[in-house]
Amino acid sequence: MRANTWAGRNKVKVRDVPDPRIMNERDAIVRITSTAICGSDLHLVDGYVPTMQNGDVMGHEFMGEVIEVGRGVDPGRLRVGDRVVVPFPIACGACGACAAELYSCCENSNPNAGIAEKMFGHPVAGIFGYSHLTGGFAGGQAQYARVPFADVGPLKIESDLTDEQVLFLSDILPTGYMGADMCDIQSTDVVAVWGAGPVGQFAMDSARVLGAAKVIAIDKEPYRLQMAERAGYTPVNFEEVDVRSRLLELTGGRGPDKCIDAVGLEATHGSAALYAYDRVKQAVRSETERPHALRQAILS
């Protein structure tokens, strides 16, 4: 198959690589229909994350059709022909962390957890396409992918929503949702979001879904601010105005009640983002409780 691979610092290459195969009875093979590039992939390309090897298949945001399953996969959870979004952490579903719905801390999916602990300060779950620190699993920027513990992580899509509308459930929507969820938003809150890129846009949408009274988008790129404004948020261009003064002006001198950093620079990119998928089930539950609101957030 063809896949996008790491070829050294600041270099990637599309190459022919071996097709994935079932290696464990709880594996599944997914034919990729859509995949994406995450801002976190730039950390790999730029050389900030060690243990990448020449030829590693990249990508941790993908979805597709299940074409093969191992004999240990629960048929009540996953079958051949299912359309699925595959979240980036790999979780066994049986350890203490998974029982607590802390899937990104899975104790069984990362064979290199000890090495990861030295890098991050704590062990982490396996992650698709994200270095050998997180298990060396091949990613989803490819034609096919092997998905371990396939009856735990993949989210079945049984609606008429397109790939473009649900692919975000693999990573970016839960990341933005987590930022808003951690704010404990109240109905009277003014929420300011620094960074109006993809994660910032979803953080704004999530803040709205969670009941914020007003959402402010802070960025310098006109197209991002225009997108936020079309969605009903108040744009602030930090190259044109003093942000602090403008925020005080917009809030009657009080300042925002809650703030979300969605910039994603190396200096601010802490380990909390790793746990974003742990909020995806909350987002899915919210869809059951507030289907129209969350769907609108996804489509905005």
Side-chain angles (χ1 to χ4, degrees):
M1 69 174 183
R2 301 286 279 171
N4 184 42
T5 64
W6 193 82
R9 187 166 179 262
N10 295 322
K11 186 177 181 181
V12 297
K13 185 177 181 180
V14 176
R15 309 186 230 204
D16 291 316
V17 301
D19 290 344
R21 58 185 178 84
I22 299 290
M23 298 177 65
N24 181 283
E25 63 179 16
R26 291 181 65 191
D27 286 351
I29 304 299
V30 173
R31 179 180 63 84
I32 308 300
T33 57
S34 291
T35 187
I37 298 171
C38 181
S40 297
D41 288 330
L42 299 179
H43 307 321
L44 304 179
V45 175
D46 291 341
Y48 288 105
V49 179
T51 74
M52 288 296 291
Q53 297 178 11
N54 186 24
D56 284 349
V57 179
M58 300 183 66
H60 58 270
E61 300 184 2
F62 61 96
M63 65 177 294
E65 178 189 356
V66 177
I67 62 168
E68 186 179 358
V69 295
R71 63 183 181 180
V73 173
D74 180 355
R77 296 292 304 275
L78 197 71
R79 295 175 180 267
V80 170
D82 283 345
R83 181 177 175 229
V84 294
V85 173
V86 181
F88 68 90
I90 301 169
C92 73
C95 67
C98 288
E101 296 191 333
L102 298 173
Y103 302 103
S104 63
C105 297
C106 177
E107 299 160 11
N108 293 323
S109 62
N110 182 4
N112 298 327
I115 303 174
E117 184 172 10
K118 293 179 181 179
M119 173 69 180
F120 300 123
H122 49 79
V124 298
I127 298 176
F128 292 101
Y130 214 79
S131 85
H132 293 262
L133 284 173
T134 61
F137 295 96
Q141 291 173 12
Q143 292 178 291
Y144 300 90
R146 179 177 75 95
V147 179
F149 303 114
D151 49 2
V152 177
L155 303 167
K156 285 198 291 187
I157 305 300
E158 299 176 301
S159 69
D160 59 354
L161 291 174
T162 66
D163 280 16
E164 285 92 353
Q165 291 168 324
V166 295
L167 176 60
F168 305 114
L169 286 168
S170 62
D171 179 351
I172 195 168
L173 172 57
T175 300
Y177 183 88
M178 181 180 181
D181 183 59
M182 290 178 69
C183 286
D184 188 26
I185 292 171
Q186 307 299 310
S187 60
T188 57
D189 283 347
V190 176
V191 179
V193 179
W194 271 259
V199 170
Q201 299 285 344
F202 276 121
M204 295 176 219
D205 291 340
S206 299
R208 177 183 61 196
V209 169
L210 292 172
K214 185 183 185 71
V215 178
I216 300 171
I218 303 165
D219 206 293
K220 68 173 183 176
E221 301 296 337
Y223 79 95
R224 292 179 171 184
L225 293 171
Q226 290 165 9
M227 181 182 294
E229 188 171 23
R230 286 196 300 269
Y233 314 130
T234 303
V236 173
N237 189 323
F238 65 77
E239 287 193 334
E240 297 178 355
V241 299
D242 177 73
V243 173
R244 182 177 184 276
S245 299
R246 181 61 175 148
L247 288 176
L248 291 174
E249 179 183 343
L250 290 170
T251 58
R254 294 180 60 250
D257 300 288
K258 308 290 170 59
C259 300
I260 301 172
D261 174 3
V263 177
L265 293 175
E266 304 298 339
T268 62
H269 196 54
S271 60
L274 185 62
Y275 303 103
Y277 176 66
D278 298 341
R279 297 298 196 269
V280 73
K281 291 189 181 295
Q282 294 181 29
V284 172
R285 282 195 291 267
S286 295
E287 184 177 13
T288 301
E289 297 165 2
R290 296 185 290 269
H292 301 298
L294 188 62
R295 175 173 289 203
Q296 184 58 46
I298 293 173
L299 298 179
S300 295

